[in-house]
Amino acid sequence: MWEAFEHAAHYELDNLTAIIDVNRLGQRGETMVGWNTGVHVERARAFGWSAIEIDGHEPEEIDRAYKEAAEVSGRPTVIVARTIKGKGVKAVEDKDGWHGKALDDPDAAIDELGGIRNISVDVAKPDAAEPHRFETGELELPRYELGEEVATRKAYGEALAALGSARGDVVFEMYIAEQQLLAACVGLQARGWNAFGSSFAAFFSRAYDFIRMAAISRVNLRLTGSHAGVSIGEDGPSQMALEDIAAFRAVHSSTVLHPCDANQTARLVATMAETDGIVFLRTLRPNTPVIYDADEDFPIGGSRVVRSSDDDDVTIVGAGVTVHEALKAAESLEDEGISARVVDAYSIKPIDAQTLQAAAEATGRIGTVEDHWPEGGLGDAVLDALADSDDRPRVLKLAVREMPHSGKPDELLSAYGIDAEHIAAAARQLVGAEVAAS
Amino acid sequence: MWEAFEHAAHYELDNLTAIIDVNRLGQRGETMVGWNTGVHVERARAFGWSAIEIDGHEPEEIDRAYKEAAEVSGRPTVIVARTIKGKGVKAVEDKDGWHGKALDDPDAAIDELGGIRNISVDVAKPDAAEPHRFETGELELPRYELGEEVATRKAYGEALAALGSARGDVVFEMYIAEQQLLAACVGLQARGWNAFGSSFAAFFSRAYDFIRMAAISRVNLRLTGSHAGVSIGEDGPSQMALEDIAAFRAVHSSTVLHPCDANQTARLVATMAETDGIVFLRTLRPNTPVIYDADEDFPIGGSRVVRSSDDDDVTIVGAGVTVHEALKAAESLEDEGISARVVDAYSIKPIDAQTLQAAAEATGRIGTVEDHWPEGGLGDAVLDALADSDDRPRVLKLAVREMPHSGKPDELLSAYGIDAEHIAAAARQLVGAEVAAS
């Protein structure tokens, strides 16, 4: 909680009151500080909060504390309440071993507490006022020229700024604290805002429990993770997101998007703002060439067949940086008489099963290529889309299979087997295997 | 870091000295506290640490601080060092916008710093003494009778206790702080211990970044997550791990195990202790019947065909609680004349591709069933194992596809489509689909 305390004090949230219920007992034995409420007070003050100690069983003290808290200016307030776990029921009061357990005799316990079985208390409702709206204008997404070299992370930032101007969204600085970034996004959306959270994709692993709980709470979040995969180059594996697609696919209500060019990114950012659930957009550090016109549309659940013919021998499915490698591979394969279809699966969840099934039927062989670990990413999504179809093609998955070193992006795409050359080799292998098997 | 500060003080780690390098600047602009070193001192003291403020550019002050820190008893010490980012190179000294960037003129910067290009400093090496070893005896794993009803989480605890007695391992209490649990495990293994970390499987999501970094640091960890899936019953979705298999499969060097009975659990716990990398064992809250003899062996990468005949029509692959549901489904299918093979894929990563390929060849249809989201779990692992094989069966994946409610375990397995009845229906559908397609 201390990162939350730090941020709340930094932003001088004097309309925030926290309560610490200090009941001494954990699930198993005493907590680290037991009933030492002074420890909480001292820590809270060191983090810039006002703190009030009370007996949590005394209504007058509770009332007084709330009144005091409301009067504090420029700082949040924490009420540190000393309480007794199970108070009023002798069988369990202040006793170890009763956490999350049903009572042996619930009727006796209710009698001991005074016998009242239904209490209805009216409390003041939270302020349901509409949040402040900034002035807005027409949405003018950034537009990039075909062939231009632009990093999708840059296109994301420019598209988000455009979206903010058009929709009255707001950007908060959360410093290096991804859990607080998520918490703030959840809070903002609960108050009617359209929250976009941005960090390195790898660092969302820091907030994976917050993302998980946001999904359980049916929150709508738009999260963008940059610096995906080995294509970031020199910064090394700690900064390379290689598990993010797997982690976000396995979040209920999630959408996972991975654009390959700047115009596609800009359009998807606009679409994210309208999409419910946990929407994750994966962007790239290096520049990639613009291959789509600024007016093209990219619906959630769609894909784009960027290269095809009537007699394709094999299909290559990529997303993000690997779309460009797949296109290069298709060109070199053409010289050898192998015709490769290339699918840009920018929507990894939901994935465009129909286009993949059509490609499976037409070509009978599929290679997937992703700048990600082999588990839980694009390749698994493609296999899932074809698992139950009548045409079940041979699928070769190219992915990063060793812990990467630092290096230049092109060197790393090659070293870890996901560049044009490796894609072409996989395509040759697929064509050869089917010939051998037939 | 504050959870780490709290634990270090709680365990009175007076051989621990931390250094905060307070250089004022973040990646973008000033940090929340800038050069206000007093804030760090006040907070550290509130968390039970000794704190020393110094000028981080003064060797005498650094020396004095280290000496003082070594003399403090019963508490860890933090040295709060005020420093200037880029000190000595005027082009960047205390300037914003230079984080993680190469200098324009590195040669000039070296000249400005005195021109020395190679400095070799000998420092005291860390104490490489062998860690303390507890007295140990023979390994006597717990043994469970066939048909006995035991929760695998209970078998895990009993097996771990047996392993501790035999190997001299140790159990730490980390309170509710999964990140600190992981950090302690990493530290213990660096000092030559064999660290087992245990929590609810869902709560490892809190420490996903620590797990990710442990893999990058080539750490050997044994982690056990209990309370997997909807089979936990009443506690509701916040406690149900439904993404843990996906998250752990997407960790480099990981092994993912999911036993279905108490004897299998006990044997796998012993095997974990010998397995390098990040080993994750997923255990269950409810009792499950013992179906394996206590002397059976369960190697990593193996599986167990728990039911089969010479003319099976379909294969059902389960793990954990779904193995038992699959067995029940196979019994009811037999009455209808459908012969179902049942595979217990207790090793989900690596998965037993050979057994799955043989089942694919023999039965041509596979149903997978898991108490997990559909993404990145057992089903995806099975599809991956068959992606490139000559026999590519039709695969139906049963998994939890809605956000679960609270309920009795059996009710939930049924409500979310992964109980015996749904498995039998999927098997019928698979058999029917193949008949229709042929």
Side-chain angles (χ1 to χ4, degrees):
Chain A
M1 295 308 299
W2 295 105
E3 278 186 5
F5 269 70
E6 185 172 36
H7 278 78
H10 181 73
Y11 285 117
E12 302 178 359
L13 306 184
D14 54 18
N15 62 344
L16 174 66
T17 303
I19 300 160
I20 307 182
D21 180 355
V22 187
N23 69 14
R24 191 183 73 82
L25 288 172
Q27 173 135 10
R28 182 222 49 74
E30 191 167 88
T31 64
M32 271 193 264
V33 298
W35 266 323
N36 190 346
T37 48
V39 165
H40 297 299
V41 168
E42 198 188 341
R43 290 179 186 175
R45 287 180 182 153
F47 276 77
W49 285 52
S50 158
I52 305 168
E53 268 184 277
I54 63 165
D55 177 339
H57 298 293
E58 286 298 330
E60 293 78 20
E61 291 197 33
I62 299 170
D63 264 359
R64 180 180 50 75
Y66 283 149
K67 283 207 192 77
E68 270 186 51
E71 285 159 12
V72 172
S73 171
R75 284 176 299 165
T77 299
V78 61
I79 298 170
V80 183
R82 185 185 186 284
T83 61
I84 297 166
K85 200 167 179 172
K87 182 172 163 66
V89 179
K90 284 282 170 293
V92 298
E93 184 176 297
D94 196 31
K95 287 209 171 67
D96 206 2
W98 283 97
H99 186 97
K101 283 197 187 144
L103 292 167
D104 292 333
D105 189 345
D107 287 327
I110 290 168
D111 285 345
E112 202 178 337
L113 289 166
I116 305 166
R117 285 181 173 265
N118 293 293
I119 303 177
S120 182
V121 180
D122 287 320
V123 295
K125 295 276 182 298
D127 177 10
E130 271 293 295
H132 175 77
R133 297 290 178 198
F134 291 91
E135 272 186 46
T136 57
E138 283 292 300
L139 174 58
E140 287 189 43
L141 284 176
R143 300 170 70 88
Y144 307 92
E145 296 301 315
L146 288 175
E148 200 179 338
E149 294 278 340
V150 189
T152 55
R153 65 175 166 134
K154 186 162 176 282
Y156 164 69
E158 292 170 351
L160 186 61
L163 202 62
S165 306
R167 298 178 53 113
D169 287 296
V170 70
V171 174
F172 258 80
E173 165 66 46
M174 297 307 295
Y175 299 87
I176 302 176
E178 288 77 13
Q179 293 170 335
Q180 297 319 305
L181 172 67
L182 260 290
C185 283
V186 170
L188 286 166
Q189 88 94 40
R191 289 290 296 122
W193 293 95
N194 199 340
F196 279 75
S198 316
S199 182
F200 278 26
F203 301 158
F204 279 122
S205 62
R206 174 73 166 193
Y208 195 44
D209 61 327
F210 281 63
I211 296 165
R212 178 180 178 275
M213 287 304 298
I216 291 173
S217 305
R218 319 279 171 149
V219 171
N220 299 322
L221 288 182
R222 287 89 203 189
L223 303 175
T224 298
S226 64
H227 294 70
V230 303
S231 79
I232 72 166
E234 291 81 354
D235 286 355
S238 69
Q239 320 288 303
M240 295 169 177
L242 288 163
E243 63 292 305
D244 55 325
I245 298 176
F248 275 99
R249 276 182 73 229
V251 169
H252 189 67
S253 84
S254 71
T255 297
V256 178
L257 306 171
H258 189 13
C260 70
D261 92 346
N263 281 327
Q264 192 178 41
T265 304
R267 296 297 292 238
L268 288 173
V269 170
T271 304
M272 286 171 85
E274 310 286 350
T275 307
D276 283 349
I278 312 286
V279 189
F280 174 61
L281 182 87
R282 187 186 210 225
T283 65
L284 302 167
R285 184 185 201 193
N287 290 337
T288 46
V290 174
I291 61 171
Y292 296 118
D293 191 86
D295 292 319
E296 292 191 52
D297 191 32
F298 298 96
I300 306 283
S303 68
R304 192 54 62 95
V305 179
V306 281
R307 186 188 167 112
S308 72
S309 72
D310 288 342
D311 57 350
D312 289 329
D313 303 298
V314 62
T315 301
I316 303 163
V317 184
V321 75
T322 63
V323 170
H324 303 285
E325 296 300 315
L327 282 170
K328 282 186 255 176
E331 271 176 43
S332 75
L333 287 165
E334 193 174 16
D335 298 340
E336 304 167 30
I338 296 176
S339 177
R341 183 173 298 191
V342 176
V343 177
D344 169 11
Y346 65 84
S347 176
I348 297 177
K349 181 187 175 187
I351 200 158
D352 185 353
Q354 207 178 338
T355 295
L356 294 171
Q357 284 164 9
E361 195 181 341
T363 72
R365 306 136 182 161
I366 292 189
T368 65
V369 53
E370 60 197 304
D371 194 353
H372 187 274
W373 298 128
E375 296 87 7
L378 173 65
D380 279 4
V382 169
L383 285 169
D384 181 65
L386 301 170
D388 187 25
S389 63
D390 292 332
D391 294 287
R392 296 183 296 279
R394 186 182 292 273
V395 177
L396 262 186
K397 271 168 64 173
L398 299 188
V400 179
R401 290 172 192 273
E402 286 170 63
M403 185 57 75
H405 294 266
S406 171
K408 296 209 171 79
D410 286 348
E411 291 170 356
L412 298 184
L413 291 175
S414 168
Y416 300 105
I418 56 171
D419 68 345
E421 201 174 315
H422 287 84
I423 296 169
R428 278 182 219 111
Q429 190 186 327
L430 277 165
V431 172
E434 286 296 307
V435 170
S438 68
Chain B
M1 294 307 299
W2 295 105
E3 278 188 4
F5 269 69
E6 184 172 36
H7 278 78
H10 181 74
Y11 285 118
E12 302 179 359
L13 306 184
D14 55 17
N15 62 345
L16 174 65
T17 303
I19 301 161
I20 307 182
D21 180 355
V22 188
N23 70 16
R24 191 181 73 83
L25 287 172
Q27 174 135 9
R28 182 222 48 72
E30 192 167 87
T31 64
M32 271 191 264
V33 297
W35 267 322
N36 190 346
T37 49
V39 166
H40 298 299
V41 169
E42 197 189 342
R43 292 179 186 175
R45 287 179 182 154
F47 275 78
W49 285 51
S50 157
I52 305 168
E53 268 183 274
I54 63 166
D55 176 339
H57 297 292
E58 286 297 328
E60 292 78 20
E61 292 197 33
I62 299 172
D63 264 0
R64 180 180 52 76
Y66 282 149
K67 282 205 192 77
E68 269 186 50
E71 285 158 13
V72 173
S73 173
R75 285 175 298 165
T77 299
V78 59
I79 298 170
V80 183
R82 184 186 188 283
T83 62
I84 297 166
K85 198 167 181 173
K87 183 173 161 66
V89 178
K90 284 281 171 292
V92 299
E93 186 176 297
D94 196 31
K95 287 208 169 72
D96 206 1
W98 283 98
H99 186 96
K101 284 199 187 144
L103 293 166
D104 291 332
D105 189 345
D107 287 327
I110 291 167
D111 285 346
E112 203 177 335
L113 289 166
I116 304 165
R117 284 179 173 267
N118 293 291
I119 302 177
S120 182
V121 180
D122 287 319
V123 294
K125 294 275 183 299
D127 177 10
E130 271 293 294
H132 175 77
R133 297 288 177 198
F134 291 90
E135 273 187 47
T136 58
E138 283 292 300
L139 175 57
E140 287 188 42
L141 285 176
R143 301 170 69 89
Y144 306 91
E145 297 300 315
L146 288 174
E148 199 179 338
E149 295 278 339
V150 189
T152 56
R153 65 174 168 137
K154 185 159 176 283
Y156 164 70
E158 292 170 352
L160 186 61
L163 201 64
S165 305
R167 300 178 53 114
D169 286 298
V170 69
V171 174
F172 259 79
E173 166 65 45
M174 297 307 295
Y175 299 85
I176 302 176
E178 289 76 13
Q179 293 170 336
Q180 298 318 306
L181 173 66
L182 259 289
C185 284
V186 170
L188 287 166
Q189 88 95 39
R191 289 291 296 123
W193 292 95
N194 199 341
F196 279 75
S198 317
S199 183
F200 279 25
F203 301 158
F204 278 123
S205 62
R206 174 73 166 192
Y208 195 44
D209 60 327
F210 281 63
I211 296 165
R212 178 181 179 274
M213 286 306 296
I216 291 174
S217 305
R218 320 278 171 152
V219 171
N220 299 322
L221 287 184
R222 287 89 202 189
L223 303 175
T224 298
S226 65
H227 294 68
V230 303
S231 79
I232 71 166
E234 291 80 354
D235 285 355
S238 68
Q239 320 287 302
M240 296 170 175
L242 287 164
E243 63 294 302
D244 55 326
I245 300 177
F248 275 100
R249 278 182 73 229
V251 169
H252 189 68
S253 84
S254 71
T255 297
V256 178
L257 306 171
H258 189 13
C260 70
D261 92 347
N263 282 326
Q264 191 179 42
T265 304
R267 297 296 293 237
L268 287 174
V269 170
T271 304
M272 283 172 86
E274 310 286 352
T275 305
D276 283 348
I278 312 287
V279 189
F280 174 62
L281 183 87
R282 186 185 210 227
T283 65
L284 300 167
R285 184 186 200 192
N287 290 338
T288 48
V290 173
I291 62 170
Y292 297 117
D293 192 87
D295 292 319
E296 291 190 53
D297 191 31
F298 298 95
I300 306 282
S303 69
R304 192 53 63 96
V305 179
V306 281
R307 185 189 167 108
S308 70
S309 73
D310 287 342
D311 56 351
D312 289 329
D313 303 299
V314 62
T315 301
I316 302 163
V317 184
V321 75
T322 63
V323 169
H324 304 284
E325 297 301 316
L327 283 169
K328 281 185 254 174
E331 271 176 45
S332 76
L333 287 165
E334 194 173 14
D335 299 338
E336 305 167 28
I338 296 176
S339 177
R341 182 173 298 192
V342 176
V343 177
D344 169 12
Y346 64 83
S347 177
I348 297 177
K349 180 184 175 188
I351 200 156
D352 186 352
Q354 209 178 337
T355 295
L356 294 172
Q357 284 163 9
E361 196 181 342
T363 72
R365 306 136 184 161
I366 292 189
T368 65
V369 53
E370 60 197 304
D371 195 353
H372 187 274
W373 299 129
E375 297 87 6
L378 173 65
D380 279 5
V382 169
L383 285 170
D384 181 65
L386 301 170
D388 186 26
S389 63
D390 291 335
D391 294 286
R392 296 183 298 278
R394 186 182 293 272
V395 177
L396 262 186
K397 272 167 64 173
L398 299 188
V400 179
R401 291 173 192 272
E402 284 170 64
M403 184 58 73
H405 293 267
S406 171
K408 296 210 173 77
D410 286 348
E411 291 169 355
L412 298 184
L413 291 175
S414 168
Y416 301 106
I418 56 171
D419 69 345
E421 201 174 314
H422 287 84
I423 295 169
R428 279 181 220 114
Q429 188 186 329
L430 278 165
V431 172
E434 287 295 307
V435 169
S438 67

